[in-house]
Amino acid sequence: MPDLDSLLSPRSIAIIGASPDHTAIRGKVQHVLQHRGYPGAIYPISRSQAEVQGRRAYPDLAALPEVPDLAIVIIPAVNVPEVIEDCGRRGVKAAYIIASGFAEEAGEAGAARQARILAAARAHDMAVIGPNAEGFFNTAANVVATFSPAVENFAQAMAPDTPEGRRISVLTQSGGVGFSFYHRGRPRQLRFAHVISTGNEAVLDSFTLAEHLIERGLTDIILAYVEGIKDVAAFRRAAALAADRGVPIIVAKMGRSEAGARAAHSHTAALAGADAAHDAVFRRHGVIRALDMDEMLDIAAGFAFCALPAGRRVGIMSGSGGAGVWMADMLSLAGLEVPRLDDATRTACEALMPAYGSATNPVDLTAGSIGKVGYAHVVDILQRSPVLDAVVVVGSVASPKRLQEDAPKLAEVAAHPEKPVLFCAYTAAAQPAVDVAAQCGVPVFTSMPGCARAIRAMADYRAFRARWGARGADPVPAPNPTALAMLRRSGRVLSEHDSKSVLAACGIPRATEVLATDAESAAAAAMRLGFPVALKIQSPDIPHKTEVGGVALHLADAAAVRGAFAAMLDRARAAHPAAAIQGALVAPMAAPGIEVILGIHRDPQFGPMLMAGLGGIHVEVLADVAFAPAPVTEDEARGLLRSLRGAKLLAGGRGAPPADVDALAALMVALSRFAADHAEAVAEVDLNPVLVHPRGGGVTVVDVLVVRRASAEEGSA
C-alpha cells in the first residue's frame, strides 16, 4: 500500500527541477515552501545550479545525503517517467508531479508517458499524484508546496486564529479551482486542512485520498471538484466511510452539458460519464452536489460552524421587515418551512419590540429594538420554540460593533446542539464583523439563496444519516438459475413474452396472458380470458411493436381477434421479412391506471441503475425521470417517486383516488433486485407502461423488453 503519510506529511522534500527564479513555476514551489515555514529538509535538485534560493543544490537523487520522503517533479514531461522510475529504485516513497504534457494533450506520446508513470508507481509501491497538478498544502504538517498565488500572502496564516470551525479538505482535478476555494473561503474564517490538486490522476485519485483523510481522522468536511471518477471502487469506499462517520462530501461534478463533457475530457483525460448516473450514486451515498463555487463554500460554511438541524423549519429575525420577508421567500424556494410561531414564543418576542414590529415569523424586531436588546437574546427565545429547527438572523455587518457587544451571548446560543444560528447580511460584510461572528461559531452569508441552500443541505444530510444507519449492506447478488438459462438461450433482444417469463422466474408477477401461434388459438385464448382483449405481435426482432401495427386493442369478440391476428402478421412480415415471429400475445384489457415507466440501464461506470418516471408526456416531452443504483430499498423507491415533478398525480386529486404506491414501490424493489442479481447478464430492461391502479388495486405491467448483455464473442453491450 503506498505511503500517503510520506506524500502529505513528508519529513523531507526533494524538488527535482528547482530554480533560483521564484517568479517561475520551477522556483516558486521552493519559495512558497520556505516562506511558509516548512520544518523539514528541502533538497533542490538542479544540474545547472550549485545553490538555489539559499540552499545547497544537488545534481541528482544519488547525491542527496538521505532518501527524501517526497519528490516534487517540475521538469519537461519527456524526462518525467525516467525520474519517477529512478525515485522508485532509490526508495523515495512518494512523488508529486507538477509537470504537464501527458494524457491531457492530443496524441499518443503523452498517454504513453503517463502509462510509464503508472507502471513505475505500481512497481515500487509509490504514492504518486499528478501529473499536470498545481501542488498541495497540509496545514497540520505546515507543508505548502504549490505555485498557486492564492497562498502567497505570507502575512496571513494558512489557518484562522479562531478555534471555531471544522476542518475542510479540498480535493480537485483542477488546481486553479482548488486553490480558489481556499482563497475565497479563508476570509470567511473557514479552516482549510488540505488543498490537494490531483491533476490527471495517473496513479492516485481524489477519492483514494479522501478515504485516507477520513480514515485517519484528518478532516471533517470534503470539497471536491470532479471532472470524472477514475476509480469507482475508491469512490464507493470513501463515500460509504464518509457517510458512516458523518463527513459531508460536497461535490462539483463537471460534464453536465455536452460542451462541459468535451472540455473535461480535453483537460484531464477524464471521462465525464452519464450525469444522471452520477446524481443517483451521489444521492445514494449522501454526497451533496452543488452548482458553483459560491454554493459549495456556503454549504461548507454551514457544516463548518453549525449543528445539523433536526428538520426544515426555520425562524427568521431581523431589524428590517423587507429583508426578513425576502429571506422567507428564499427559504421557501429552497424547500424549507417558515412556520408561524407558537403563542409563547410570539409573546416573548412582542415584549421586546414596539407595536409596529411583528412577531409572526419573520420576526421584525425593528432596528431600534435590535440596538437595545441585540441579536442573541431574541435568538435564544426562538431556539426554545417547539416549531423551529434553525434560526437565521438577517442584518447588517457593515460594522462589527453590534456583534462585538453581543458576542458572549451569541457564542452561547450558537453552541446549541440541534438548532443552528446563521447570519445573513444584507450589507457588504466587513471583515472584522465576519471574524467576530466566526469566533462565536456563527457563519456569515452575503447571499440569501446561499444561506437557504446551506440550511437545506444540512437538514437533508441529517435525514440522510438516519436513513444510512438503517439501510444496512446491499444483499449479495444471487442470480436465478432458471432466468439465466432463459437468457442464455435468447438472442440479444428478448420478445415481450420471453422478457416477462425471465422476470416471472425471479418473482416479478405478470398478468394472465397467452402466447398464440395462429388465429384460431388466439380466438380460443381470448374466449377463455374474457373480452375485450389486446393482441400484440411477439418477435425479438420487432421490439417496437406499434411501429409496424403490431398492437390491436379492445377486441370485442372472436371474429375480431381472428381478423386482427391475420392482419397483424401480414403487416409484421411485410415490414420485417426476416423476423422470427413467435406469434401474438393475447391479454385482457387492463383496468385504467396512471402510466409509469420503469427501467434498468447499465451505466458503464456504476453498473445497473433503476429508472422511474411518469409515462406519456411526462417521459416523452418533460423527461420526468429519476435514477438510483440497483438494488433499492422500499424507502429509496418511494423517495425516487417523490422526486418526480409529476409525483402529485400518484397522490390523487380533483376527485381521482390515490394510486397504489405501495404496489409500485414493491415492483421497483423487485426489479432493482433482479438487475443487481443479474448484472453480468442483463444490459437493459424496460417496463413501459406500468399501470398503477387505485390504492389496493396493484399494478399491471403492460409491456416488457429485456436486452441481454453481449458475450465476449458478440462484442460489448
Side-chain angles (χ1 to χ4, degrees), residues 22 27-38 42 53 136-137 142-149 151-152 154 158:
H22 64 77
K28 189 174 286 189
V29 173
Q30 181 177 339
H31 177 71
V32 170
L33 265 174
Q34 294 179 173
H35 279 75
R36 282 293 182 184
Y38 171 64
I42 299 175
Q53 299 185 38
F136 75 99
F137 71 67
N142 207 18
V143 183
V144 186
T146 177
F147 61 88
S148 171
V151 301
E152 287 191 64
F154 300 131
M158 295 295 291

Side-chain angles (χ1 to χ4, degrees), residues 514-526:
V514 176
L515 179 64
T517 56
D518 55 45
E520 286 303 322
S521 62

